[in-house]
Amino acid sequence: MCSVATKGRQETAAPSTAPAIELRGISKAFGPVQANKDISLSVARGAIHGIVGENGAGKSTLMSILYGFYKADAGEIFIGGKLTPIHGSQDAINAGIGMVHQHFKLVENFTVLENVILGAEDGQMLRPSLAKARKLLAELSDEYELSVDPDAMIENLSVGHQQRVEILKALYRQADILILDEPTGVLTPAEADHLFRILNGLKAQGKTIILITHKLREIMEITDTVSVMRRGEMTATVQTKDTSPENLAELMVGRKVLLEVEKKPATPGACVLEIENLRVVDEKGVERLKGISLAVQAGEILGIAGVSGNGQSELMEVLGGYQTATGTVRLNGRELDLTGRHSDGQSRRNSGIAHVPEDRHREGLILEFSAWENMAFGYHNDPKYNKNALLMDNAALREDTRQKMDRFDVRPPIPRLQAKNFSGGNQQKLVLAREIERNPDLLLVGQPTRGVDIGAIEFIHKRIIQLRDEGKAILLVSVELEEILSLSDRIAVMFDGRIMGERMPEDTDEKELGLLMAGMGTREAN
Amino acid sequence: MDKMPKWADVFLVPFINLLLAFFVSGLVVLAVGENPFQAIWIMIKGSLGSTAGLGYTLYYATNYIFTGLAVAVAFHARLFNIGGEGQAAMGGVGVAVVLLAFNWQHWWLALPFAIIGAGSFGAFWAAIPAYLQAKRGSHIVITTIMFNFIAAAVLGYLLNGALKNPNNQNAETVPFGPGAHLPTAHEILAPLGIQFSKSAPLNISFLLALLCAFLVFVLLWRTRLGFAIRAFGQSETAARYAGINAVKITMITMLISGALAGMLSINVVMGEQGRLIKEFVEGAGFVGIAVALMGRSHPFGIVLAAILFGMLTQGGFELLWEMPDLSKEMVLVIQALIILFTGALDNMVRMPLEKLFLRLRKEQS
């Protein structure tokens, strides 16, 4: 049960001074994993409260309890000073809580208006609800810069606009408390700034906002108070103005963390990868890459910045061998087959390309397989892992895995353990160990630190730079601008299937890159 | 961390499922006015109590091992092959063609060729749906089940036409020559001084089935092809990343699966009937699905599950004989209940048990 009311503790305080949300002693376990341990939290009305923590720290679990997706094992929830048992999302909505999920819950082929009223229709007939929503949307768009065309189809809206629809949905349901889960993950910096203006406008109207993020910069920029979670516990709640990103990072990890990456200047050598006029048309006939030309030299990291979905994935897939394309790609001067028999992952690996894919759960690993089986994944034809023409050499493979786990500090170092039982950071280390130790001429790295804890990020960045220093070419794709800026020796920005420009990291900043990522050239923007 | 210890996963869950199935079946028997304990006793005694009973039980189990393996191999590549019935029927045609083509002098000469005939015809029958799935995206569940009907029709057509025995009115081939007769359990065991029932159809195919189970184990867990099959089954996107060719894996897996299903006809057509008749598969293709489910798609589990289902089939016939009040349909109901509990309702027992084990573990730590 979520909340067992004890009569003596029933609050009678005046609601005006009561906090918008108060959690007392929330605990939740999933099997042997204690996701939330005795968490207490109080958020004042009209505040923007940030919750930071590494992946798996329990942020999402806590918010899911607040929104009624999970039932807490123990603890109480007070909304506006009143004990409010929340058994399902309908209870949460009735209590004035609105949630904007990381992955939007919108019906793609409905209009904005239809999505807003979906599940909150006033009666059997839609017309009155639609009219009411239209009026409200008009009001809100003036008030909070929340302008969206009410008759547009969701599938035709940009991600930033879709997010506004999610916020409008919550406001239509008269939410006073808005929870946003990693809201800027898919936004350009400009769109994120716009979102923050919206949130500040809502705050001025007395709405309470809870912002879950792992980006410390955003916390510093917009929140009033911030709570840090680590391993299911709330380790600190502080006033944002009294803290610093370094301090928060230390609270999150439990030790001092290097936020800056140390690296020597690059010494680029021969040209390893040359891409000319690369074009990709997907199954629906949409052109995803519109003539890309790039070059990567030995001993340098070329970072590709861009909001996700602008062609970076397709570029990686073409180079990884599982997406057909037109144009020319040369590796060490030899042209790669982009459409025919040799455009598969096996041929690419044989030609000296290793690939750390963007999505390790869907591509890089087989979660049900053990660590040692995953170590052979993509390389199971390697003679090293085979006894003879027929049988694999599982013992050699296990031994090889044990050594790699040791060198990459994978914990726990048990080759038999299934991949799904490792933490995100250790899973990523498994993939990196497999790909880096191939000693490739070209390493493709997609989102190397997505969903990886801060401690592991440090290690992963170090290994990538080490590979560069060994004279390998590295193509890095990341949606984290900070990561691009700190790792890359050269930066190319992608937008809508094109390269918008190349910059040197020391000559540029997040603002300029942000404009390029939004499809605006520097000159026009200024 | 695993949710349950392995022994609970592999043995305890199926055992509880079985108990539940027997309990509900007992209620059915009770409703008809018979004694459920007596019914169970008749089934056990009928299937294990004599060498004749045991011979039938293992004969049926042989069929179920072949079809269970066929389902399991495909299932590891996340292909749901429910066309075992049709593939087995076509395998029978293959066996008949091979055995009728020559006047075989000795069974050990005939057997390898019969295996090739059974396997290749079964594989061929699985290849068409596999191709349609791999190249055209036609769902393999739909196509394989449709191909069962086509196979039945083709078999009927051939047995009334090209392959028909001209000497009688039945839809069957002429009997195979004496040189194509597989040694039965009686013939194998008699020189060793063991008296095994002469009437039981158990034959050397049982050993062939066990060998196939072992080979499937080696294939799946010791070879590169098996690695690719399992990887493809776990995640198609990951397989794409690794450069595993989806079309190739789909085709090869289904060829193996179809060949295994086709092998059933070695046991039935070559080993027992001595000629090709019309409905010789008798639903074994479908029982294979339940066997693979209960055996958790592992060859060892499949052998055990196949023997259990063999007992059910043989025990069911005994029950019909001994308890005339139970109709044939009633025996089917009991068998279906066991399939239901062990296959479809697996999670009903598994989930509470997982929770129980988690709680136990938490209390220990």
Side-chain angles (χ1 to χ4, degrees):
Chain A
M1 272 295 136
C2 191
S3 43
V4 186
T6 42
K7 277 176 194 158
R9 288 179 73 179
Q10 196 88 37
E11 297 283 306
T12 47
S16 57
T17 57
I21 295 182
E22 195 182 353
L23 305 179
R24 287 187 192 164
I26 298 281
S27 289
K28 172 78 189 169
F30 295 104
V33 182
Q34 191 77 32
N36 284 166
K37 262 181 258 176
D38 190 26
I39 288 186
S40 297
L41 171 72
S42 166
V43 181
R45 185 174 297 277
I48 298 185
H49 184 92
I51 296 182
V52 289
E54 299 189 78
N55 276 76
K59 298 170 299 197
S60 297
T61 306
L62 187 64
M63 289 307 119
S64 297
I65 288 170
L66 190 53
Y67 201 62
F69 283 153
Y70 297 139
K71 268 185 194 164
D73 299 336
E76 298 170 328
I77 299 173
F78 294 83
I79 307 290
K82 224 175 104 233
L83 179 66
T84 315
I86 294 178
H87 299 302
S89 52
Q90 201 56 46
D91 289 340
I93 292 168
N94 292 343
I97 300 174
M99 182 135 178
V100 177
H101 297 274
Q102 193 174 359
H103 304 284
F104 307 142
K105 317 261 182 213
L106 296 170
V107 182
E108 293 258 306
N109 52 358
F110 272 22
T111 65
V112 170
L113 269 187
E114 286 168 332
N115 266 287
V116 166
I117 64 162
L118 182 66
E121 303 90 344
D122 287 330
Q124 290 302 315
M125 304 306 285
L126 291 180
R127 204 173 279 271
S129 305
L130 286 169
K132 188 177 131 195
R134 188 181 294 277
K135 195 160 146 278
L136 187 84
L137 251 55
E139 287 170 23
L140 290 171
S141 65
D142 295 344
E143 225 173 312
Y144 304 116
E145 290 190 66
L146 268 168
S147 57
V148 192
D149 172 10
D151 297 312
M153 287 282 184
I154 294 297
E155 58 191 3
N156 299 330
L157 292 181
S158 72
V159 182
H161 278 80
Q162 291 188 11
Q163 192 172 54
R164 284 182 215 170
V165 178
E166 284 283 12
I167 296 174
L168 287 168
K169 261 170 71 181
L171 294 177
Y172 182 76
R173 287 159 178 72
Q174 298 177 328
D176 280 322
I177 300 160
L178 208 55
I179 305 170
L180 294 110
D181 188 3
E182 299 282 0
T184 60
V186 289
L187 302 183
T188 63
E191 282 175 320
D193 285 342
H194 190 116
L195 172 69
F196 291 162
R197 284 204 298 281
I198 294 172
L199 295 184
N200 274 320
L202 290 168
K203 175 187 160 184
Q205 295 290 317
K207 308 269 186 204
T208 308
I209 291 157
I210 296 183
L211 183 68
I212 302 170
T213 180
H214 66 279
K215 293 183 184 169
L216 299 176
R217 192 176 63 86
E218 288 170 3
I219 292 288
M220 299 309 295
E221 205 173 304
I222 191 173
T223 63
D224 301 309
T225 48
V226 53
S227 298
V228 182
M229 289 190 73
R230 174 154 57 97
R231 287 181 194 162
E233 285 177 279
M234 197 72 97
T235 49
T237 296
V238 289
Q239 298 284 322
T240 309
K241 59 180 193 303
D242 300 335
T243 185
S244 66
E246 288 77 18
N247 189 10
L248 287 176
E250 198 182 328
L251 284 169
M252 276 163 73
V253 185
R255 63 178 169 85
K256 280 222 181 299
V257 187
L258 267 162
L259 288 179
E260 290 291 310
V261 185
E262 282 178 41
K263 62 169 190 182
K264 297 181 294 198
T267 50
C271 192
V272 173
L273 178 73
E274 287 170 274
I275 302 174
E276 273 166 40
N277 197 23
L278 193 67
R279 285 171 195 277
V280 166
V281 178
D282 71 8
E283 294 135 1
K284 289 180 192 156
V286 181
E287 198 171 30
R288 292 293 177 179
L289 289 185
K290 301 174 178 170
I292 297 254
S293 296
L294 279 176
V296 191
Q297 284 162 277
E300 78 162 348
I301 300 176
L302 174 67
I304 301 210
V307 179
S308 72
N310 277 295
Q312 303 97 313
S313 305
E314 285 78 6
L315 176 63
M316 296 295 259
E317 286 172 8
V318 169
L319 295 174
Y322 50 104
Q323 169 73 57
T324 53
T326 59
T328 338
V329 177
R330 274 188 294 270
L331 186 75
N332 293 325
R334 283 183 54 190
E335 197 170 327
L336 295 180
D337 183 1
L338 296 182
T339 46
R341 282 190 57 225
H342 298 290
S343 69
D344 67 355
Q346 291 294 315
S347 308
R348 289 292 195 277
R349 283 176 179 81
N350 292 338
S351 63
I353 297 178
H355 183 186
V356 178
E358 293 182 89
D359 188 336
R360 64 175 167 273
H361 287 169
R362 289 184 63 241
E363 298 187 334
L365 293 169
I366 293 197
L367 296 176
E368 301 293 325
F369 274 17
S370 61
W372 65 266
E373 284 176 304
N374 272 298
M375 212 44 95
F377 189 54
Y379 300 102
H380 57 281
N381 290 324
D382 185 342
K384 200 170 78 182
Y385 296 148
N386 286 281
K387 267 189 229 169
N388 49 42
L390 207 59
L391 298 180
M392 290 182 80
D393 192 347
N394 292 348
L397 187 48
R398 269 191 287 265
E399 176 57 24
D400 184 57
T401 304
R402 209 189 51 71
Q403 289 172 10
K404 282 183 178 149
M405 287 175 118
D406 194 40
R407 283 194 289 274
F408 276 76
D409 190 30
V410 179
R411 274 177 264 182
I414 306 171
R416 270 186 307 107
L417 205 60
Q418 280 176 311
K420 64 177 179 190
N421 293 324
F422 290 93
S423 73
N426 284 305
Q427 287 175 345
Q428 189 71 323
K429 282 187 201 169
L430 279 174
V431 179
L432 274 167
R434 183 180 72 208
E435 301 299 327
I436 285 184
E437 296 238 335
R438 285 276 135 187
N439 206 16
D441 295 332
L442 171 69
L443 180 70
L444 311 170
V445 195
Q447 321 294 354
T449 54
R450 178 188 277 169
V452 166
D453 33 276
I454 291 192
I457 289 179
E458 235 184 309
F459 181 87
I460 289 169
H461 282 173
K462 264 191 209 157
R463 288 307 302 239
I464 292 175
I465 288 169
Q466 193 187 330
L467 192 72
R468 178 204 72 164
D469 290 342
E470 288 165 14
K472 308 297 181 186
I474 291 163
L475 183 68
L476 166 76
V477 165
S478 176
V479 292
E480 305 280 348
L481 257 189
E482 262 178 72
E483 182 166 74
I484 291 280
L485 276 165
S486 61
L487 275 184
S488 311
D489 301 311
R490 204 150 49 85
I491 298 169
V493 183
M494 269 185 93
F495 172 75
D496 194 27
R498 291 194 179 86
I499 302 284
M500 296 305 289
E502 281 190 20
R503 298 284 185 274
M504 301 306 275
E506 55 274 14
D507 301 335
T508 188
D509 54 23
E510 296 207 1
K511 187 158 170 264
E512 189 191 17
L513 292 177
L515 287 171
L516 288 170
M517 281 161 68
M520 287 174 272
T522 340
R523 222 162 285 141
E524 295 90 335
N526 283 339
Chain B
M1 198 188 307
D2 289 329
K3 285 173 178 159
M4 286 197 286
K6 196 146 190 171
W7 62 267
D9 185 49
V10 177
F11 292 106
L12 190 59
V13 172
F15 183 69
I16 295 176
N17 280 327
L18 215 53
L19 280 186
L20 281 172
F22 277 133
F23 176 72
V24 178
S25 307
L27 294 182
V28 173
V29 175
L30 208 58
V32 186
E34 292 280 0
N35 181 348
F37 294 103
Q38 203 192 340
I40 288 178
W41 178 240
I42 290 172
M43 286 183 86
I44 293 176
K45 208 175 98 193
S47 58
L48 301 177
S50 63
T51 59
L54 185 67
Y56 270 101
T57 295
L58 293 182
Y59 166 75
Y60 294 125
T62 307
N63 288 345
Y64 301 153
I65 292 173
F66 284 129
T67 53
L69 289 173
V71 173
V73 167
F75 200 65
H76 276 283
R78 198 157 293 174
L79 294 165
F80 205 23
N81 176 17
I82 52 177
E85 198 77 8
Q87 288 143 21
M90 293 310 279
V93 174
V95 167
V97 166
V98 168
L99 294 182
L100 293 173
F102 298 99
N103 183 18
W104 296 96
Q105 292 307 310
H106 202 286
W107 68 267
W108 51 258
L109 255 174
L111 184 60
F113 292 94
I115 289 174
I116 292 171
S120 59
F121 272 62
F124 164 71
W125 208 243
I128 305 168
Y131 179 82
L132 292 173
Q133 164 87 58
K135 286 283 194 187
R136 300 261 165 243
S138 318
H139 204 287
I140 205 152
V141 168
I142 309 293
T143 46
T144 48
I145 205 164
M146 289 304 167
F147 266 64
N148 287 341
F149 294 104
I150 302 175
V154 169
L155 185 62
Y157 172 78
L158 289 175
L159 288 179
N160 285 301
L163 294 177
K164 188 175 172 353
N165 181 353
N167 306 323
N168 67 20
Q169 293 302 308
N170 302 332
E172 59 183 40
T173 63
V174 290
F176 307 139
H181 169 76
L182 288 180
T184 62
H186 170 79
E187 289 159 7
I188 297 170
L189 294 174
L192 304 173
I194 302 169
Q195 280 306 313
F196 203 88
S197 162
K198 218 171 175 174
S199 64
L202 179 64
N203 61 67
I204 200 160
S205 307
F206 179 66
L207 299 179
L208 186 64
L210 294 182
L211 178 70
C212 281
F214 176 71
L215 289 178
V216 164
F217 168 80
V218 172
L219 167 76
L220 287 173
W221 282 282
R222 292 288 185 271
T223 69
R224 291 194 290 287
L225 176 62
F227 185 87
I229 289 175
R230 287 185 298 123
F232 176 74
Q234 287 292 344
S235 165
E236 217 169 310
T237 49
R240 215 166 59 111
Y241 153 83
I244 293 170
N245 187 326
V247 174
K248 204 169 121 190
I249 291 295
T250 304
M251 289 302 296
I252 292 179
T253 307
M254 283 303 287
L255 287 174
I256 295 172
S257 176
L260 283 166
M263 296 284 280
L264 172 145
S265 55
I266 296 289
N267 187 38
V268 181
V269 177
M270 188 178 182
E272 154 73 357
Q273 304 284 352
R275 66 202 147 98
L276 183 64
I277 58 165
K278 236 193 118 183
E279 270 146 13
F280 71 91
V281 188
E282 290 185 304
F286 294 114
V287 176
I289 299 169
V291 167
L293 271 173
M294 194 180 182
R296 307 201 51 97
S297 294
H298 191 287
F300 183 66
I302 285 170
V303 169
L304 292 185
I307 292 173
L308 176 77
F309 277 87
M311 287 171 62
L312 286 175
T313 310
Q314 168 57 14
F317 285 127
E318 289 292 320
L319 204 54
L320 268 181
W321 184 255
E322 301 270 336
M323 285 188 170
D325 278 356
L326 286 176
S327 62
K328 194 176 175 217
E329 285 70 25
M330 214 54 102
V331 175
L332 271 180
V333 165
I334 293 170
Q335 289 169 348
L337 276 171
I338 290 173
I339 296 177
L340 184 72
F341 275 94
T342 53
L345 299 181
D346 191 51
N347 268 339
M348 196 174 74
V349 169
R350 185 173 301 277
M351 305 244 280
L353 219 62
E354 275 174 2
K355 277 191 185 151
L356 185 75
F357 273 102
L358 281 176
R359 192 173 308 160
L360 281 175
R361 196 171 294 172
K362 212 191 295 175
E363 274 164 18
Q364 277 171 9
S365 57

